[in-house]
Amino acid sequence: MSVGIDEISFYTSNYFLDLRTLAEVQHTDPDKYYTGIGQERMGMAAPDEDIVTLAANAALPLIERVGPDAISTLLFATETGIDQSKSAGVYVHRLLGLNSNCRVVELKQACYSATAALQMACALVARQPQRKVLVIASDIARYDLNTPGEATQGCGAVAMLIGSDPRLVSIEPEVGNYTEDVMDFWRPNYRTTALVDGKYSTKIYLKALKRAWENFREVSPLTFGDLSHFCYHLPFSRMAQKAHQHLAKLNRSPLDPEQLEAQIEETLLYNRTIGNSYTASMYIGLCSLLENCRNSLADSRIGFFSYGSGCVGEFFTGTVRQGYEACLHRSRHQQMLAARSELSYDEYLELYRYPDPRDGEVHEIPQVTTGRFRLAAISHHKREYIIC
Ligand code: CAA
C-alpha cells in the first residue's frame, strides 16, 4: 500500500522586506544577499500573526475540501513555540473546527520536526489506511538585528494531508538518519531570537547530510542516479546548492554543474522570497518544485534531506504520482506571493520590535494581517484567536 502526501498548501505573511533595503541600511553589497546567500526577500509576520494563525491559514484550503471530520490526528511541528505546555495545534484545531475526537500534539527538534511528523503520520496511516492525518509545520525565523543571521529571517507554514493512495507524492519507508549533540543553532526558553554559530552550522549541515545519506544507502537499493530532483532543508537557498554539490561529489556523479542545478533550482523559487521558515522550509520547497517544474514530474523520484540543528538529519525519498498537477494550489500560492506588501526599513523595525506582552494585562492587537485568522489579544496571559 502506498502512503504519502495527498495535498499540500502553504501560507506566509502579507509583508516582506526586500534584502536590497537591508543591504542599503547596512552599507552591504546587495549581491551578498541576492547571490551570496541566494535570498531576495524575507517575510515578516504582522503583530496579529503567529505560528497558529499562519498554520490555520495554510491548512484551511485542505479542510475546506475534505471536511473537518476527515482528520484523525493533527501533528504540529514548530520551533517557535508559544507555550511550554499547550500545543499550538490545539488552537488550530478550534480555528479549523476539527472533530473533538481528533488527537493533537506538537513536535520539536529544530527544523527537522516536520519530517518526524510526516514519518509518524505515514506510520499511523499504514496502520489505519482509511484515516487522514494533518501535518502542519509553522515557524517565524528571528535573529538579532545586525547579526549575520538577520538576512536569513522569514516566516511561513505548510499543511500536508497524509493518506493512503496519495495523489501527490508516495513516501518510501527507507530512511537514513544522523543525530549528534552539537550547538550550531539554538534558542533558550528565555530568548525570542535564535543564537547561531553560523559558519559551524553550515559545516554540521553538510556533515549530517553525508552521514544520513550513508545510512540511507545501507537500507535502500536506490543510488544518487535514481533520483531526479532533490529537496533540501532551506535556511537560505545557497545552502541547498552547496549541499547538492557536496552530495554529488560524495557520489562521484558524472552530472555537470548545470545538470546538478537543474535538479534543485525549482525547489528554491518560493524560499528566495519568503526566507527561512524553519520546519516548513523543505516542504515549501517541495511545493515550489511541484508547482514550477516545466516538465512533468509524474513517476519521478525525489530525494529529501531534512535538517534540524542540534542536530538531527534525515534522508528519504518519495515518488510523484500520475495526475499530481490537478491537485496543486499553484495559482492561489502564486497570487498570495504576488499580493504581498513591501516594508520600508522603519516599518520592518516596527514589526520586529512589536511588544510581546508578559505582564498579564489586557493587550488588544490591531488588525494588520490580511489572513483569515488573527491573534486579536493577549489578555491575562491567554492568547485570543479569532476568525476574520
Ligand atoms: N557578491 C556575491 N557574493 C558575495 C558577496 C558579494 N558582494 N559578498 C559575500 N558573498 C558571498 C560569500 O563569498 C559567501 O559565499 P560562500 O558561502 O560560497 O563562501 C556568501 O556570500 C555569504 O557570505 P559570508 O560567508 O561572509 O556571510 P556571513 O558570514 O555574513 O553569513 C551565514 C552567512 C553564516 C550563513 C549567516 O547568514 C547565518 O548565520 N545564518 C543563520 C544560520 C544558518 O542559516 N545556518 C544554516 C545551517 S543551520 C540550519 O540549516 C538550521 C536553520 O534553519 C537555521
Side-chain angles (χ1 to χ4, degrees):
M1 181 187 56
S2 159
V3 174
I5 305 171
D6 187 66
E7 193 168 356
I8 187 166
S9 157
F10 76 88
Y11 185 81
T12 185
S13 169
N14 191 48
Y15 302 96
F16 71 87
L17 181 74
D18 196 300
L19 292 181
R20 286 189 203 285
T21 309
L22 185 66
E24 198 179 316
V25 173
Q26 293 176 337
H27 307 292
T28 303
D29 181 350
D31 279 346
K32 172 170 176 183
Y33 299 146
Y34 269 60
T35 310
I37 61 168
Q39 292 300 116
E40 297 172 13
R41 297 170 170 183
M42 57 188 195
M44 281 297 294
D48 55 345
E49 287 179 319
D50 67 4
I51 52 162
V52 169
T53 66
L54 294 173
N57 279 304
L60 183 64
L62 310 190
I63 300 306
E64 282 176 340
R65 190 182 65 81
V66 295
D69 294 334
I71 308 300
S72 62
T73 298
L74 163 53
L75 301 176
F76 194 108
T78 187
E79 56 180 305
T80 320
I82 49 168
D83 195 294
Q84 289 283 12
S85 174
K86 179 170 175 170
S87 163
V90 173
Y91 297 105
V92 174
H93 178 279
R94 177 179 68 79
L95 292 172
L96 296 177
L98 301 187
N99 194 296
S100 55
N101 295 129
C102 166
R103 71 157 80 80
V104 179
V105 70
E106 184 172 308
L107 292 91
K108 177 174 69 183
Q109 175 25 56
C111 308
Y112 164 71
S113 62
T115 298
L118 170 69
Q119 298 292 4
M120 289 173 191
C122 288
L124 285 171
V125 171
R127 197 160 72 171
Q128 290 185 299
Q130 74 284 10
R131 297 293 181 100
K132 289 200 188 310
V133 176
L134 179 61
V135 168
I136 304 183
S138 181
D139 269 307
I140 297 175
R142 278 285 178 94
Y143 296 89
D144 284 344
L145 297 175
N146 303 314
T147 61
E150 185 181 1
T152 64
Q153 298 176 111
C155 64
V158 72
M160 295 183 278
L161 209 53
I162 309 304
S164 56
D165 196 16
R167 296 172 308 152
L168 292 182
V169 181
S170 12
I171 299 295
E172 276 114 29
E174 294 78 17
V175 299
N177 285 111
Y178 180 71
T179 297
E180 184 182 349
D181 181 3
V182 288
M183 296 301 280
D184 60 329
F185 167 105
W186 66 106
R187 183 168 70 84
N189 289 341
Y190 49 81
R191 287 183 62 98
T192 55
T193 51
L195 295 165
V196 62
D197 188 342
K199 298 276 190 236
Y200 178 58
S201 71
T202 61
K203 287 200 178 88
I204 288 289
Y205 179 120
L206 296 180
K207 179 181 175 188
L209 168 62
K210 175 176 185 287
R211 300 290 293 270
W213 169 257
E214 287 166 355
N215 186 223
F216 175 76
R217 291 286 293 118
E218 287 165 17
V219 296
S220 169
L222 297 174
T223 65
F224 184 83
D226 292 324
L227 306 173
S228 74
H229 291 79
F230 292 76
C231 289
Y232 290 90
H233 167 55
L234 291 171
F236 50 92
S237 66
R238 183 92 182 90
M239 187 72 233
Q241 291 167 327
K242 286 187 181 193
H244 195 48
Q245 284 156 14
H246 189 64
L247 195 61
K249 201 169 159 199
L250 282 173
N251 286 282
R252 298 187 174 83
S253 165
L255 299 182
D256 64 33
E258 262 182 34
Q259 290 170 313
L260 289 176
E261 182 63 15
Q263 293 186 311
I264 58 167
E265 61 185 346
E266 284 113 349
T267 70
L268 311 178
L269 302 175
Y270 293 160
N271 179 271
R272 275 189 211 284
T273 72
I274 293 174
N276 196 354
S277 54
Y278 292 158
T279 50
S281 78
M282 186 177 80
Y283 297 97
I284 293 179
L286 172 63
C287 271
S288 185
L289 172 66
L290 296 174
E291 294 176 1
N292 293 288
C293 193
R294 287 174 295 271
N295 306 319
S296 171
L297 289 164
D299 297 326
S300 306
R301 202 172 245 125
I302 302 175
F304 294 87
F305 176 62
S306 176
Y307 177 74
S309 288
C311 71
V312 175
E314 180 162 316
F315 196 96
F316 64 100
T317 57
T319 301
V320 181
R321 303 296 300 258
Q322 288 279 349
Y324 74 95
E325 296 95 332
C327 313
L328 298 172
H329 291 271
R330 181 190 289 112
S331 55
R332 190 176 53 76
H333 289 149
Q334 294 182 352
Q335 278 163 19
M336 173 182 69
L337 292 176
R340 293 186 302 165
S341 304
E342 182 172 353
L343 299 166
S344 68
Y345 183 71
D346 287 343
E347 289 166 334
Y348 155 69
L349 281 187
E350 206 178 310
L351 289 188
Y352 184 97
R353 293 186 172 137
Y354 197 83
D356 177 22
R358 292 169 184 204
D359 56 11
E361 298 294 320
V362 174
H363 298 274
E364 285 184 7
I365 303 172
Q367 180 160 5
V368 182
T369 178
T370 55
R372 183 76 184 279
F373 305 96
R374 61 181 292 266
L375 174 64
I378 300 179
S379 302
H380 311 293
H381 299 294
K382 294 176 190 163
R383 301 173 87 83
E384 295 173 12
Y385 295 97
I386 59 168
I387 304 172
C388 301

